[in-house]
């Protein structure tokens, strides 16, 4: 009985701490990113790390309260789901899918075809073109089929283009040829006739050679009646190197004119190298978040806005850059930052 009382007390304290954090600027309890986004008719999402989702009640509550969609940060990538030629492991990904279902959230699944995070049996194997086609087709059929009706969308192909707009020289391009992109979308549609299918890339958020190449790629896919639903603009940006709001909106407009949905799919803001005090950096980051949300709300083709992580505590950026970063909406103690309130303001007033 004492042990049960102890754990109940801990959960109460954690819940109270989260409530206090979210009300620190006197926002009504009913005012959340989720509630405001739903009123505006868009999805608001976060990429989810599985360890804290399993063990951290504050993380769980924050995710469910503030977001209506969840992206899978890692555990649906090839190396996690398909670690051996005849072995599939869905347990970790199922944790998120089940959590989302129980909290009336949608799942944006990530990713079917990428050149990174592949198992050694695949990258070190010596496969013919026909064998590699069979491997990729079977992987897509198996994975998409397993989650049929359980996820809203898939990132089918991720980062297939170089910064200059040429096709990236990946295992898939080398082994199959450029048709692998079209094949992947068609196989995903065979496995689930209703799921949304996205092409996703970084550095193509505004206007320039890479975004022109993405536009050309998806325009050709549409012309060939390839079943593509939309484009994910990752929006990994930094202080001083982010696309202008007008360029992002122009890009959204032209993709929308093709009949495609647009998803701001992985936004975070690198802050380490920005000028000014920490407070000034956080405000500049908040301004970037506000600009990108405003651009998204300006065209109905933009259906969702996702940040690449729930809190700074679990962001991928410090490990990737080797520098301290403050890229997300909530700090390492789960407290809302200026970027959070900037998005609240845009959703309420723009």
């Amino acid at each position: 009985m004492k042990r049960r009382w102890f754990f109940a007390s801990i959960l109460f304290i954690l819940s109270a701490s989260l409530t206090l954090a979210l009300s620190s600027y006197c926002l009504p309890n009913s005012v959340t990113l989720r509630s405001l986004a739903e009123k505006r008719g868009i999805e608001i999402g976060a990429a989810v790390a599985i360890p804290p989702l399993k063990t951290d009640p504050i993380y769980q509550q924050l995710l469910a309260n503030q977001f209506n969609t969840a992206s899978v940060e890692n555990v649906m990538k090839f190396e996690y789901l398909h670690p051996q030629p005849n072995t599939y492991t869905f347990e970790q990904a199922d944790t998120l899918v089940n959590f989302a279902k129980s909290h009336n959230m949608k799942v944006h699944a990530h990713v079917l075809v990428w050149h990174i995070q592949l198992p050694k049996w695949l990258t070190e194997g010596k496969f013919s073109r026909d064998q590699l086609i069979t491997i990729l087709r079977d992987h897509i059929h198996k994975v998409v089929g397993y989650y049929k009706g359980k996820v809203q969308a898939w990132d089918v192909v991720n980062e297939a283009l170089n910064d200059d707009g040429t096709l990236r020289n990946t295992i898939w391009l080398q082994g199959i040829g450029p048709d692998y992109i079209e094949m992947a979308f068609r196989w995903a549609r065979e496995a689930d006739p209703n799921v949304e299918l996205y092409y996703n890339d970084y550095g193509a958020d505004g206007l320039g050679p890479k975004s022109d190449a993405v536009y050309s790629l998806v325009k050709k896919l549409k012309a060939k009646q390839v079943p593509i639903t939309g484009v994910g603009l990752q929006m990994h940006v930094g202080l001083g190197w982010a696309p202008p709001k007008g360029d992002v909106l122009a890009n959204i407009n032209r993709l929308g004119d093709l009949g495609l949905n647009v998803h701001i799919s992985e936004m975070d803001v690198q802050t380490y190298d920005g000028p000014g005090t920490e407070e000034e950096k956080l405000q500049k980051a908040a301004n970037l978040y506000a600009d990108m949300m405003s651009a998204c709300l300006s065209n109905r083709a933009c259906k969702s806005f996702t940040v690449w992580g729930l809190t700074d505590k679990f962001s991928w950026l410090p490990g990737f850059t080797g520098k301290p970063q403050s890229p997300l909406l909530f700090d390492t103690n789960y407290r809302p930052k200026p970027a959070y309130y900037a998005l609240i303001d845009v959703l309420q007033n723009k």
Side-chain angles (χ1 to χ4, degrees):
M1 180 65 72
K2 289 182 178 180
R3 182 178 296 178
R4 186 177 302 171
W5 178 88
F6 172 77
F7 284 114
S9 299
I10 293 297
L11 289 174
F12 175 80
I13 292 169
L14 293 173
S15 178
S17 299
L18 176 61
T19 301
L20 178 62
L22 294 180
S23 62
S24 60
Y25 277 62
C26 300
L27 288 171
N29 290 336
S30 60
V31 177
T32 63
L33 292 173
R34 177 172 182 160
S35 66
L36 294 174
E38 287 172 350
K39 289 180 181 178
R40 298 298 297 265
I42 70 165
E43 296 162 9
I44 185 79
V48 177
I50 298 302
L53 182 67
K54 288 182 175 181
T55 62
D56 189 334
I58 297 183
Y59 189 98
Q60 296 163 3
Q61 186 177 354
L62 190 64
L63 178 64
N65 286 351
Q66 294 292 326
F67 301 97
N68 58 17
T69 187
S71 287
V72 185
E73 186 171 14
N74 278 303
V75 296
M76 283 187 176
K77 292 171 181 173
F78 207 121
E79 70 173 353
Y80 286 92
L81 291 186
H82 197 169
Q84 298 296 331
N86 298 310
T87 301
Y88 288 85
T89 55
F90 295 107
E91 181 182 359
Q92 292 194 75
D94 284 348
T95 298
L96 175 57
V97 172
N98 294 334
F99 180 91
K101 182 179 180 181
S102 66
H103 292 87
N104 196 29
M105 301 172 71
K106 297 175 181 176
V107 174
H108 191 106
H110 175 85
V111 55
L112 293 171
V113 186
W114 195 28
H115 61 286
I116 298 175
Q117 291 186 261
L118 300 172
K120 286 186 177 181
W121 70 262
L122 178 59
T123 58
E124 296 178 359
K126 304 297 182 182
F127 300 108
S128 68
R129 181 175 186 270
D130 287 345
Q131 288 173 322
L132 204 56
I133 287 173
T134 298
I135 289 169
L136 186 57
R137 182 184 65 235
D138 290 352
H139 176 82
I140 292 173
H141 279 173
K142 177 71 172 182
V143 171
V144 177
Y146 180 87
Y147 286 109
K148 180 180 179 181
K150 299 177 183 178
V151 304
Q152 180 196 21
W154 273 101
D155 287 333
V156 178
V157 178
N158 192 52
E159 300 174 4
L161 298 173
N162 295 309
D163 291 345
D164 64 1
T166 58
L167 285 173
R168 187 185 298 275
N169 190 25
T170 68
I171 183 176
W172 309 114
L173 183 66
Q174 292 175 11
I176 297 175
D179 288 347
Y180 82 87
I181 298 174
E182 176 182 341
M183 290 175 179
F185 277 95
R186 295 195 187 279
W187 292 330
R189 177 57 72 233
E190 289 171 1
D192 188 340
N194 299 311
V195 72
E196 297 176 11
L197 305 176
Y198 282 79
Y199 176 79
N200 190 56
D201 216 326
Y202 69 90
D205 315 304
L207 298 176
K210 188 167 186 178
S211 65
D212 289 345
V214 169
Y215 176 79
S216 177
L217 170 65
V218 297
K219 184 177 181 180
K220 290 176 182 176
L221 293 177
K222 288 285 288 184
K224 297 175 71 173
Q225 297 184 318
V226 174
I228 179 173
T229 306
V231 174
L233 306 177
Q234 291 186 13
M235 207 66 67
H236 293 293
V237 297
L239 302 181
W241 50 279
K245 173 184 171 182
D247 287 2
V248 174
L249 181 55
N251 197 25
I252 292 172
N253 289 342
R254 66 176 176 175
L255 292 168
D257 288 343
L258 294 178
L260 293 169
N261 294 344
V262 177
H263 177 196
I264 293 181
S265 59
E266 302 186 17
M267 187 166 182
D268 52 24
V269 181
Q270 292 193 39
T271 59
Y272 178 81
D273 292 328
T277 65
E278 185 64 20
E279 184 177 90
E280 290 170 337
K281 292 178 184 180
L282 293 179
Q283 186 55 54
K284 290 175 183 178
N287 295 340
L288 283 175
Y289 273 104
D291 282 348
M292 296 307 105
M293 176 61 82
S294 180
C296 182
L297 292 173
S298 296
N299 189 317
R300 291 188 176 183
C302 190
K303 303 294 186 181
S304 60
F305 186 104
T306 291
V307 291
W308 203 243
L310 188 60
T311 86
D312 292 343
K313 184 176 182 179
F314 299 106
S315 170
W316 70 292
L317 274 173
F320 180 74
T321 63
K323 300 174 181 178
Q325 301 283 356
S326 184
L328 298 170
L329 306 182
F330 299 90
D331 69 16
T332 56
N333 293 312
Y334 299 93
R335 293 173 300 198
K337 294 158 53 182
Y340 171 83
Y341 297 104
L343 291 186
I344 290 284
D345 180 63
V346 172
L347 289 167
Q348 281 184 317
N349 300 312
K350 305 300 183 183

